[in-house]
Amino acid sequence: MVNWNNERPILEEKVSALGIGKAIYAAPDGDKNNARLLLAADGFHFRQSDFSDFEFNNIVITSSVGEKYNISFGVDGQLLINGLPYTAPTNQSDETIAGHKEFTGVAKLSGGLQLVSPSGLIFNIQVDDTGNLKANNIDNEVEVQDG
């Protein structure tokens, strides 16, 4: 008798049977009395072992507009889409961060700093090589010195 739960039995030529009647059944060892039900009126009767030796080199998924995407894994296990490594978006472009935040350690800002006053004025903050801060109101071009 075949143990259907642990592995998918090997089909043997001229011995295995696939029966179709009121249902579809499989008997890889030729024993129709112990055959396993695969499909009946109440649905599919697949088990995990039915898929134990499936291997896919890649999966092709078609988008809603008909574009095809090839999804696979590289030799190091990295997810590839159309052969290129997938990089998760970092959401760093034009991001708004709300709420109270506390930073520990050193925070470095490259590319500039803007501060908004309570009345909504926006100031560009710059520092020179001697450590002097300079604030420029970008709305009215008002310069504020701290020295």
Side-chain angles (χ1 to χ4, degrees):
M1 179 175 199
V2 176
N3 181 351
W4 291 96
N5 293 318
N6 294 331
E7 61 186 43
R8 188 161 37 134
I10 297 171
L11 298 179
E12 297 181 30
E13 196 172 325
K14 297 184 182 178
V15 173
S16 299
L18 182 64
I20 300 176
K22 292 183 180 179
I24 298 175
Y25 65 90
D29 57 0
D31 182 1
K32 290 183 183 180
N33 294 325
N34 293 308
R36 203 189 94 216
L37 181 65
L38 298 176
L39 179 65
D42 63 344
F44 293 96
H45 294 264
F46 293 132
R47 296 189 179 154
Q48 188 174 359
S49 62
D50 293 336
F51 305 96
S52 62
D53 62 347
F54 276 20
E55 291 184 21
F56 298 100
N57 294 329
N58 64 308
I59 299 172
V60 177
I61 297 176
T62 304
S63 73
S64 60
V65 295
E67 294 192 33
K68 293 184 184 261
Y69 295 92
N70 184 325
I71 299 175
S72 60
F73 292 96
V75 294
D76 59 352
Q78 183 171 10
L79 177 65
L80 304 175
I81 298 179
N82 295 336
L84 301 173
Y86 173 73
T87 304
T90 59
N91 206 17
Q92 297 298 308
S93 179
D94 298 327
E95 184 176 10
T96 299
I97 301 171
H100 299 286
K101 306 291 182 257
E102 181 178 325
F103 297 93
T104 59
V106 176
K108 294 181 181 181
L109 299 175
S110 300
L113 169 65
Q114 288 187 334
L115 296 176
V116 180
S117 73
S119 65
L121 296 174
I122 300 172
F123 291 88
N124 281 332
I125 310 300
Q126 299 167 331
V127 62
D128 65 19
D129 289 334
T130 60
N132 292 318
L133 294 176
K134 181 178 177 182
N136 292 323
N137 180 317
I138 65 169
D139 295 323
N140 299 324
E141 296 300 324
V142 173
E143 189 172 299
V144 179
Q145 288 283 340
D146 178 26

